[in-house]
Amino acid sequence: MLPRGLLCLVVLLAAPAPTRADDTPSIRVSGTGEVSATPDTGHLSAGVVAEAPSAAEAVRANGTAMERVLAALEAAGIAKRDVQTSGFSVWPVYAESAGRAEQPRITGYRVSNQVTVRVAGVERVGGVLDQLVAAGANEVGGVAFSVGEPAPLLDEARKRALADARRKAELYAASAGVRLGRLLRIDETGGGPPVPMPRAARMEASAPVPIAPGQVELSITTTVTYAIEP
């Protein structure tokens, strides 16, 4: 009988070497597919900033104002599932220092409470913004637009991306004097929904907010790997 260590050595030497995928000559390219569409959904962020001498008073004042904002959203026909708290913060407010030697002095507290809102129907976005500002929302972020059912559009973008990648691969193969073989791998990126811009602006009640939704563009990038043959 062979010693155990020797037996293991014999088995390892007898095992066939694995075939590596990267041993296959291949070409890897990326293609992009884009589809434009008229948006039917709006996304916005809005909230309240309140200040008071104490943190408890600032939180209380902010809560009272936010209740009015949420009530305005409900009155505008926005479902509760389409409203989500996106940020809540409390931070001190300091008095301006007269010199470097003077220690910072807290004069009050500022509380910010933000919600993101999904609005079905872009024609309603301007009206919803008006109602929010009238209800006391004094911090409004960016507005973005999307398509409520993007799946068919994204599928078309995928077809275009794959066709674009195939065209590039064929061009490279022909230029290199080789033939394009079978498709080995497909990777996809892109296609996420737009989100409101993180900027925020202090607002006051004013004239109706004009909204121009324009077009939204859905994009898919596909990276493909083809085998190449002589």
Side-chain angles (χ1 to χ4, degrees), residues 50-68:
E51 292 185 15
S54 71
E57 290 174 304
V59 169
R60 191 160 46 246
N62 187 283
T64 300
M66 278 303 296
E67 286 178 0
R68 292 195 295 268

Side-chain angles (χ1 to χ4, degrees), residues 52-145:
S54 71
E57 290 174 304
V59 169
R60 191 160 46 246
N62 187 283
T64 300
M66 278 303 296
E67 286 178 0
R68 292 195 295 268
V69 168
L70 294 176
L73 288 172
E74 185 175 357
I78 305 299
K80 290 184 177 180
R81 66 175 180 272
D82 293 329
V83 181
Q84 185 177 46
T85 298
S86 57
F88 182 88
S89 59
V90 181
W91 66 93
V93 178
Y94 294 94
E96 293 186 9
S97 176
R100 293 185 178 180
E102 184 179 342
Q103 292 294 324
R105 180 171 58 88
I106 295 176
T107 60
Y109 290 85
R110 182 179 294 119
V111 176
S112 174
N113 193 345
Q114 287 277 323
V115 293
T116 56
V117 184
R118 178 181 179 274
V119 182
V122 295
E123 70 283 353
R124 300 174 57 205
V125 172
V128 171
L129 284 170
D130 290 339
Q131 289 177 264
L132 287 172
V133 174
N138 58 5
E139 190 172 50
V140 179
V143 177
F145 300 98

Side-chain angles (χ1 to χ4, degrees), residues 194-228:
V195 295
M197 297 295 290
R199 300 190 301 270
R202 300 296 291 270
M203 295 186 65
E204 298 177 356
S206 59
V209 178
I211 295 296
Q215 293 272 296
V216 293
E217 200 168 80
L218 292 87
S219 177
I220 292 288
T221 298
T222 300
T223 301
V224 298
T225 304
Y226 286 96
I228 56 175

Side-chain angles (χ1 to χ4, degrees), residues 146-171:
S146 69
V147 177
E149 295 295 335
L153 297 169
L154 290 172
D155 286 345
E156 177 61 29
R158 289 183 178 98
K159 294 177 184 178
R160 296 182 183 184
L162 191 57
D164 184 44
R166 175 79 188 191
R167 177 188 63 81
K168 292 177 182 177
E170 289 175 343
L171 176 63

